[in-house]
Amino acid sequence: KQKNVSLAIKFLNMTKKLFLPTIQSALFLFCLIAMAQTPESTPREKYAATITSEDLSELLYTVASDSMQGRMTGTEGQKMAADFLQNFYKAHRIATAPGMDHYFQEIPATYFTRMKNPVSSENVLAYIEGSELPDEVVVLSAHYDHVGMEGDTIYNGADDDGSGTVALLEIAEAFQMAKDQGYGPKRSLLFLHVTGEEIGLYGSRYYTENPIIPLAQTLCDLNTDMIGRIDPLKEGNENYIYLIGSDKLSQSLHDLSEEVNKTYVQLELDYTFNADDDPNRFYYRSDHYNFAEKNIPVIFYFNGVHQDYHKPTDTPDKINYPLMAKRTRLIFHTAWEIANREGRIYADKRTE
């Protein structure tokens, strides 16, 4: 019996020597594969990480500075803001929209029928062409105008909508960097900074009536309007963003948005203002609505109103930049998914 036990022990030791290296190698290989599949190591995470609170802050302190004079449509301050956006896109070698040799979509004074003294204005457009399906386009929009001045008092509009304006700049820069390094989007991206929102959604209406890219080729509009502050109702629960409209026209867009957030960002997606009976009617009050009216799926990203809404106290120093960066990365990831997924987004809840 002792001899048999001794032989068994010797056999086990030999087996360990023979197979343990193979098992260890297999485990190591498995770990490498698992690490390679985590979101943190994918290209999209690399480029999302370039969207930082520091960069957003630097940009917003310019866009919402006193020198921009509140960016009222048609004023010198609004023109200065348009020039700033144009120069940013030039500096980062982000192209003009197809068929355009400049970044401005001019809107004639006669279009602004609600203005007492109508003046011309301009949308600002930039474009990143898709590598495989360039005719399919994802629009990312934000209005860059605000309400201007009263006497010598400047309404800076840092959150409304300086926050959305600079978020688009950071997203565009991240996508252009990805393209330069061989990871460009399969579908095209149009960055649409609209004017005239505060006086009646004029810029987005003009674009949808005079699209640079046919609306039939426009997959969706991701609209960013106020993402830098915290709704007083959310104090103590700040890891959130209000989403409006995501399921109105496209269940597939809504489901994609939910999955992207769960995988990459983990914000609370609050649909309070998405209700059909929302007394605030926010769904109808920002630029995505002009796309929705054309049966183009939309998502409206929004932090809710606060005590400085449409007041001179809406200034850059009150922005929560780390939270704004996280919200901006959610929009980036959503755009990345739409631009690179196998099938295109459709209005599967199409209305007449």
Side-chain angles (χ1 to χ4, degrees):
K1 288 182 180 178
Q2 288 180 343
K3 185 177 181 181
N4 288 341
V5 170
S6 178
L7 288 170
I9 292 172
K10 184 180 289 187
F11 176 77
L12 286 173
N13 288 334
M14 289 175 62
T15 302
K16 283 170 64 178
K17 288 179 181 178
L18 284 170
F19 293 105
L20 187 58
T22 303
I23 294 169
Q24 288 174 330
S25 297
L27 286 172
F28 179 70
L29 181 61
F30 175 81
C31 291
L32 285 178
I33 293 170
M35 288 172 63
Q37 291 177 338
T38 59
E40 287 73 22
S41 61
T42 61
R44 67 192 293 165
E45 271 294 304
K46 171 185 173 181
Y47 300 113
T50 67
I51 298 169
T52 66
S53 56
E54 293 79 12
D55 288 346
L56 289 165
S57 174
E58 182 178 352
L59 290 167
L60 188 54
Y61 267 90
T62 299
V63 169
S65 65
D66 285 352
S67 64
M68 298 290 183
Q69 304 168 20
R71 309 187 306 279
M72 179 64 183
T73 299
T75 63
E76 180 186 357
Q78 178 257 301
K79 307 289 186 183
M80 290 174 62
D83 285 338
F84 175 79
L85 298 175
Q86 174 179 241
N87 291 336
F88 179 93
Y89 287 118
K90 286 181 178 179
H92 290 85
R93 296 175 293 102
I94 300 170
T96 58
M100 298 178 66
D101 58 5
H102 54 84
Y103 293 88
F104 294 164
Q105 182 186 37
E106 303 289 347
I107 306 176
T110 53
Y111 192 78
F112 296 98
T113 55
R114 291 187 187 178
M115 297 180 77
K116 290 182 179 179
N117 300 298
V119 289
S120 64
S121 189
E122 48 279 316
N123 293 329
V124 183
L125 286 66
Y127 178 76
I128 296 177
E129 185 175 47
S131 59
E132 296 181 17
L133 298 162
D135 291 338
E136 296 182 7
V137 181
V138 180
V139 174
L140 296 97
S141 64
H143 74 91
Y144 72 99
D145 65 302
H146 193 52
V147 298
M149 300 175 62
E150 286 187 2
D152 294 330
T153 302
I154 299 171
Y155 289 68
N156 299 90
D159 190 31
D160 185 17
D161 183 29
S163 61
T165 300
V166 301
L168 257 61
L169 297 180
E170 279 286 278
I171 293 169
E173 183 181 359
F175 270 108
Q176 185 63 45
M177 186 184 303
K179 181 174 182 176
D180 291 342
Q181 296 177 4
Y183 293 98
K186 294 179 181 179
R187 296 176 175 87
S188 299
L189 303 171
L190 180 70
F191 299 91
L192 175 62
H193 299 264
V194 293
T195 187
E197 191 269 357
E198 298 287 5
I199 56 173
L201 311 185
Y202 275 101
S204 55
R205 179 156 62 89
Y206 187 85
Y207 178 83
T208 55
E209 291 174 354
N210 304 272
I212 302 302
I213 297 167
L215 296 183
Q217 296 171 211
T218 301
L219 276 62
C220 64
D221 173 42
L222 306 180
N223 182 50
T224 307
D225 192 351
M226 299 173 58
I227 60 163
R229 294 285 295 271
I230 298 164
D231 187 332
L233 297 174
K234 289 288 191 178
E235 292 292 345
N237 183 26
E238 300 170 358
N239 188 52
Y240 80 97
I241 186 71
Y242 292 118
L243 262 57
I244 302 173
S246 63
D247 65 347
K248 299 286 189 187
L249 294 171
S250 176
Q251 187 63 43
S252 58
L253 177 60
H254 175 80
D255 294 344
L256 178 152
S257 167
E258 285 273 340
E259 187 61 33
V260 164
N261 178 64
K262 179 181 177 182
T263 304
Y264 294 101
V265 187
Q266 295 91 48
L267 282 165
E268 176 199 349
L269 304 183
D270 191 319
Y271 298 99
T272 297
F273 300 123
N274 191 53
D276 291 337
D277 60 352
D278 170 34
N280 302 283
R281 292 176 59 82
F282 286 130
Y283 177 63
Y284 306 93
R285 290 171 52 183
S286 191
D287 293 294
H288 62 279
Y289 183 67
N290 283 315
F291 287 88
E293 277 206 311
K294 304 290 187 181
N295 279 305
I296 295 171
V298 300
I299 302 178
F300 172 20
Y301 299 89
F302 180 51
N303 54 218
V305 296
H306 45 77
Q307 63 271 25
D308 300 308
Y309 175 67
H310 277 198
K311 294 181 179 178
T313 48
D314 181 10
T315 49
D317 58 295
K318 295 182 179 177
I319 298 294
N320 185 324
Y321 289 100
L323 180 57
M324 180 179 164
K326 190 172 186 180
R327 291 165 170 170
T328 303
R329 287 192 287 269
L330 171 63
I331 302 164
F332 169 85
H333 279 298
T334 304
W336 181 288
E337 188 69 25
I338 297 166
N340 290 293
R341 74 197 301 262
E342 186 69 25
R344 64 167 285 175
I345 290 292
Y346 286 96
D348 51 35
K349 295 182 176 181
R350 189 176 181 86
T351 62
E352 298 301 328

